[in-house]
């Protein structure tokens, strides 16, 4: 197998493992300092004008997450290198996974809300790339998009919430916000709702949970790392991070308890129903996330201790179990409960890892899972609704015991049910290191919970509740108390459910199968969205030029005329005393030409009328001291008439009947736009004119640009780039026209020479 | 005088809008020419009208005499005229090409990209693909013929 591992190369295969291991070592070295209550931090100015900094701070909560991310990351990367040995796109995979790990570290270490948001989105994007890694599969792409949309949408709500927090607290610095608290602020309700949407989409709380089981389309190491141990805990992290600012109110208590509890129970029922090992684990992850949210809802030392302990223990055993399932899948070719069996002999190390991890998951002494579960039960007694919390935890934990049995006992200890797709043999060492180490940690830390208490749990609890809080003590034997009794009941009921798993699965299949599927609802929602887009595009963009033009002109007329009427900005009656007869003739010529062009049915007459108008405009420029403009206008008008004349040779009559039809509605709209234009111009003329720019050009034209024609100087000197752009437009028009004409040969017939303008 | 010009620009705009609302795309292009003229006059008038005093600096002087016409709108209008012409020329040739391909100047009949919903519903299967595909091979051949003709 060593040769197979070598196939991914040193850079793609081993460099990511080294990076993750180095980061882990770094965070371990920070642990004593953080445990002593300090929080090493670095910070750079990012957008100082908005009070946004780019900084990292390593406090207890951040360090706990960072250790889990980098530690499990190193093991998962080591595992992937063997799991996807020789995969043609492994380098891409390793890049995505490493990027994800760094983004996730940034998320938990960020000291500033905006930086946190950026890293949050980076984890969403890398997660999208990883879920869709098997991109040849349409289902995989669809599930990746679903995860992206759901978590991305939640992130938008969260961003809105962050901005509200920033405005309410006057800073984006998380520590400063937490020091002040937001519970008394009038925006607290809105902020809480937005934060919950963000956290619940990321951490897949009911009813926004449906994307997570689908995300299992990703390769198994990704599921183990992102969708179990780290990324989905981002939402939980957010709630824990803002716990000091948001917790303690009725709204916080009830929303977290109810959503977390509902998720935990619903997910454990779903987990029991699955026949695919990976899907079963996916739902137990949901259950864990629900439990974490539920525990965060309470604000007692016990609940927060249980939160931190369960966070750690779940990451350890769930990553181990996912990796075990990956081993089984890799070596046998299937993950189906009904097929797998008899793997104890060919895969003893995998079986050992599975057994240890499952014992921790079931909460059996002396594993760390047992301690976490005991404290959770103990915290229920102190909560605001002991019966509700305890019953929720009990129901979820009973099913956890049963699912642990399904995952760890079935494939290994039961007899084989028939031939497997591949003859099983033990996985390579790189794939065993992760699950064995993680499972062994569950046992070792259960026997010696001291380091967990000192370095992981206590800093989290003190950070969330303040320095006066009293974390519960992690210990295996706390005497005979309510928690121990509940544990016993849990174990007994769990074993009973496991023994009756076939009947339980069928009953759940019937009960849950009758529920409406949110996943199908999602597809319906997406189809509806696309259908709506098609519908509104057809309305807005119907393909009729007249409708587009009419819409634009109606808007112009209404916007100009309407706002003038509303604001009473109508111009005063114009003073026409300075009108000379010559000018009246000139303007009358232009007007007559345009009216004739508008209403004639003859092409030649229209062309001539356009010419009259154009020449009239040129004469206006001459009369009013713009000789350069007039010359240009004359040239352009001549060219226009020539071009139109050439084109007319090949074009039909203007009207099929030979006579133009009067269009009264169009005329009314045209009159409205025309009158609006005149009114605006009259109003403009009655305002004073600011001539400072003109004065600058007049003063600077000769001394600075050595030109006596001020208009020319403006064009070729002061606004030379503008003129360059103008030339570019003409060149583009000429090139495009040439391209269009080249394909019109049978009609044009005379080759490109005749078309040049 | 300026007020009367404002009224004239309104008339020019109205005629242009009326033409641009026509079904015949040639009329649309006539409207384009008129509205370009109207827009240029708007800019020109915005800088006020001054008769008989072009913005020039006499030799020996470093500044124009006081009271010359406003140079800035003139420069802007000059640019606008040229760009308006580029737009007009392209639109004319586009229309010309459309006529060559589609055989009509009626914008209501030019429905290649966005077929009429009623047509689409009735004969989606055969009518539209025929409409959509027929002209193009013909013109492609034409292009080849024309290219070889030009080569000769």
């Amino acid at each position: 197998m060593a040769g197979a591992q070598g196939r991914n190369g040193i850079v793609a295969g081993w460099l990511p493992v080294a990076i993750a291991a180095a980061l882990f070592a770094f965070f371990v070295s920070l642990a004593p300092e953080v445990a002593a209550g300090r929080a090493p931090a670095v910070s750079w100015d990012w957008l100082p004008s908005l009070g946004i900094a780019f900084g990292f701070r390593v406090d207890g909560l951040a360090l706990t997450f960072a250790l889990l991310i980098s530690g499990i990351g190193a093991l998962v990367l080591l595992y992937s290198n063997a799991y996807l040995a020789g995969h043609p796109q492994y380098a891409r995979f390793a890049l995505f996974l490493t990027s994800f790990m760094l983004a996730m570290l940034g998320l938990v270490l960020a000291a500033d809300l905006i930086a946190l948001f950026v890293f949050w989105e980076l984890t969403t994007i890398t997660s999208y790339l990883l879920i869709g890694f098997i991109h040849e599969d349409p289902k995989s792409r669809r599930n990746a998009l679903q995860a992206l949309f759901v978590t991305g949408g939640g992130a938008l709500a969260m961003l809105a919430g962050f901005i509200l927090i920033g405005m309410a607290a006057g800073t984006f610095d998380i520590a400063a916000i937490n020091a002040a608290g937001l519970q008394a602020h009038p925006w607290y309700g809105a902020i809480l709702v937005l934060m919950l949407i963000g956290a619940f989409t990321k951490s897949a709380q009911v009813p926004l949970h449906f994307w997570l089981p689908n995300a299992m389309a990703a390769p198994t190491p990704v599921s183990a790392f992102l969708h179990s141990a780290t990324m989905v805990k981002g939402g939980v992290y957010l709630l824990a991070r803002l716990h000091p600012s948001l917790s303690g109110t009725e709204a916080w208590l009830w929303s977290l308890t109810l959503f977390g509890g509902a998720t935990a129970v619903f997910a454990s029922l779903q987990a029991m129903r699955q026949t695919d090992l990976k899907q079963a684990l996916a739902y137990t992850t949901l259950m864990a996330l629900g439990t974490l949210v539920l525990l965060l809802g309470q604000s007692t030392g016990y609940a927060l201790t249980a939160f931190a302990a369960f966070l750690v223990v779940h990451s350890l055993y769930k990553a181990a179990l996912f990796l075990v399932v990956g081993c089984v899948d890799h070596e046998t070719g299937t993950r189906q409960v009904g097929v797998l069996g008899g793997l104890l002999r060919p895969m003893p190390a995998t079986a050992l890892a599975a057994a240890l991890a499952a014992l921790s998951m079931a909460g059996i002494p002396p594993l760390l899972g047992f301690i976490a579960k005991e404290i959770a039960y103990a915290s229920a007694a102190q909560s605001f609704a002991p019966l509700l919390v305890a019953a929720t935890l009990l129901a979820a934990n009973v099913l956890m015991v049963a699912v642990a049995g399904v995952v760890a006992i079935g494939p290994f200890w039961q007899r084989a049910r028939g031939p497997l797709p591949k003859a099983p043999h033990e996985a390579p060492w790189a794939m065993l290191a992760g699950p064995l180490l993680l499972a062994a940690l569950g046992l070792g830390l259960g026997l010696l919970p001291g380091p967990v208490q000192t370095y992981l749990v206590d800093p989290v609890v003190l950070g969330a509740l303040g320095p006066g809080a009293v974390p519960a003590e992690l210990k295996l034997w706390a005497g005979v108390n309510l928690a121990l009794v509940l544990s016993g009941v849990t174990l007994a009921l769990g074993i009973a459910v496991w023994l009756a798993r076939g009947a339980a699965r069928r009953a759940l299949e019937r009960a849950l199968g009758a529920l409406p599927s949110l996943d199908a609802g999602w597809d319906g929602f997406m189809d509806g969205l696309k259908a709506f887009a098609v519908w509104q595009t057809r309305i807005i963009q119907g393909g009729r030029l007249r409708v587009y033009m009419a819409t634009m002109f109606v808007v112009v007329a209404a916007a100009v005329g309407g706002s003038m009427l509303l604001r009473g900005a109508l111009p005063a009656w114009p003073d026409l005393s300075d009108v000379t007869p010559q000018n009246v003739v000139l303007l009358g010529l232009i007007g007559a030409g345009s009216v004739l062009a508008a209403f004639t049915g003859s092409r030649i007459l229209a062309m001539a009328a356009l010419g009259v108008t154009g020449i009239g405009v040129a004469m206006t420029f001459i009369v009013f001291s713009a000789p350069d403009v007039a010359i240009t206008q004359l040239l352009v008008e001549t060219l226009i008439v020539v071009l139109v004349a050439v084109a007319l040779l090949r074009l039909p009559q203007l009207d099929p009947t030979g006579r133009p039809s009067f269009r009264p509605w169009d005329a009314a709209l045209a009159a409205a736009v025309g009158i609006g234009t005149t009114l605006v111009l009259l109003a403009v003329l009655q305002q004073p004119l600011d001539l400072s720019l003109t004065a600058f050009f007049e003063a600077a034209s000769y001394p600075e640009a050595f030109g006596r024609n001020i208009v020319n100087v403006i064009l070729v000197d002061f606004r030379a780039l503008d003129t360059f752009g103008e030339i570019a437009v003409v060149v583009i028009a000429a090139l495009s026209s040439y391209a269009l004409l080249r394909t019109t040969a049978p009609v044009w017939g005379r080759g490109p020479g005749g078309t040049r303008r | 005088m300026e007020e009367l010009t404002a009224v004239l620009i309104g008339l020019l705009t109205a005629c242009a809008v009326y033409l641009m609302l026509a079904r015949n795309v040639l009329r649309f292009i006539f409207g384009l020419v008129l509205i370009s003229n109207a827009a240029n006059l708007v800019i020109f008038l915005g800088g006020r009208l001054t008769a008989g005093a072009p913005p020039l600096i006499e030799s020996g002087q470093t500044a124009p005499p006081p009271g010359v016409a406003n140079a800035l709108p003139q420069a802007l209008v000059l640019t606008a005229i040229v760009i308006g012409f580029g737009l007009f020329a392209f639109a004319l040739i586009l229309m010309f090409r459309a006529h060559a391909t589609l055989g009509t100047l009626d914008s209501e009949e030019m429905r290649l990209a966005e077929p009429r919903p009623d047509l689409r519903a009735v004969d989606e299967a055969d009518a539209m693909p025929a409409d959509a595909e027929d002209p193009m091979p013909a013109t492609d051949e034409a292009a080849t013929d024309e290219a070889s003709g030009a080569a000769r």
Side-chain angles (χ1 to χ4, degrees), chain A residues 162-371:
Chain A
F162 280 176
I163 292 169
L164 280 187
I165 293 179
M167 289 162 66
T171 173
F172 287 102
D173 183 76
I174 296 172
I177 293 166
N178 278 342
L182 294 164
Q183 287 91 341
H185 198 274
W187 296 347
Y188 172 75
I191 290 172
L192 179 64
V193 168
L194 291 169
M195 286 302 111
L196 291 185
I197 293 175
F200 285 1
T201 48
K202 192 80 162 180
S203 282
Q205 298 296 295
V206 169
L208 301 168
H209 63 283
F210 51 88
W211 67 269
L212 184 55
N214 290 336
M216 299 298 149
T220 299
V222 174
S223 307
F225 191 34
L226 273 71
H227 304 118
S228 185
T230 58
M231 188 189 83
V232 288
K233 295 214 173 79
V236 176
Y237 169 80
L238 177 73
L239 294 178
R241 174 53 77 205
L242 294 174
H243 192 277
S245 297
L246 298 174
S247 69
T249 63
E250 289 272 302
W252 169 274
L253 197 63
W254 279 104
S255 51
L256 265 68
T257 306
L258 289 181
F259 279 105
T263 306
V265 174
F266 173 79
S268 18
L269 292 172
Q270 283 281 12
M272 199 57 221
R273 173 191 165 197
Q274 305 301 322
T275 56
D276 180 330
L277 287 177
K278 204 173 159 188
Q279 283 294 322
L281 288 180
Y283 278 106
T284 61
T285 300
L286 269 181
M287 171 271 173
L289 295 170
T291 307
L292 288 171
V293 169
L294 171 76
L295 290 170
L296 269 182
Q298 334 300 322
S299 299
T300 62
Y302 262 97
L304 266 292
T305 309
F307 164 78
F310 189 55
L311 176 79
V312 173
V313 73
H314 173 258
S315 296
L316 295 179
Y317 75 66
K318 191 53 64 66
L321 283 177
F322 263 111
L323 296 180
V324 161
V325 168
C327 288
V328 169
D329 191 12
H330 196 256
E331 305 306 332
T332 67
T334 181
R335 301 191 302 248
Q336 287 300 319
V337 176
V339 180
L340 287 166
L343 295 179
L344 180 60
R345 202 171 295 272
M347 306 177 73
T350 312
L352 176 65
L356 281 177
L359 286 175
S360 194
M361 171 166 160
I364 290 170
L367 288 105
L368 191 57
F370 170 74
I371 301 178

Side-chain angles (χ1 to χ4, degrees), chain A residues 408-485:
Chain A
I409 298 181
F412 299 100
W413 302 78
Q414 288 178 338
R415 265 202 311 277
R417 318 270 175 90
L420 294 166
K422 283 158 76 177
H425 55 79
E426 190 58 276
W429 72 268
M431 285 174 64
L432 288 173
L436 276 174
L437 196 57
L438 292 169
L441 272 177
L443 176 65
L445 295 175
L447 291 170
L448 293 169
V452 179
Q453 177 100 54
T454 314
Y455 295 116
L456 301 179
V457 172
D458 287 357
V460 171
V461 177
L462 295 177
L465 296 180
V470 185
E473 196 184 338
L474 301 182
K475 52 186 174 183
L476 278 172
W477 179 249
V480 179
N481 54 17
L482 179 69
L484 192 67
V485 173

Side-chain angles (χ1 to χ4, degrees), chain A residues 703-738:
Chain A
E704 289 185 18
F706 304 103
R708 299 192 179 279
N709 183 333
I710 300 172
V711 176
N712 270 349
V713 169
I714 293 176
L715 280 174
V716 300
D717 197 304
F718 291 113
R719 296 173 57 86
L721 262 183
D722 221 37
T723 308
F724 178 72
E726 165 201 329
I727 294 167
V729 168
V730 175
V731 170
I732 291 167
L735 287 176
S736 330
S737 306
Y738 180 65

Side-chain angles (χ1 to χ4, degrees), chain B residues 19-75:
Chain B
L19 281 168
M20 290 175 98
L21 287 169
R23 288 169 64 125
N24 187 313
V25 285
L26 191 54
R27 281 215 169 88
F28 177 89
I29 284 174
F30 291 165
L32 197 65
V33 174
L34 284 186
I35 213 164
S36 298
N37 275 328
N40 293 340
L41 282 177
V42 166
I43 301 172
F44 191 60
L45 179 63
R48 303 299 190 269
L49 303 182
T50 309
L56 301 171
I57 301 170
E58 283 170 35
S59 63
Q61 303 288 312
T62 58
V68 293
N70 194 346
L72 183 61
Q74 292 191 20

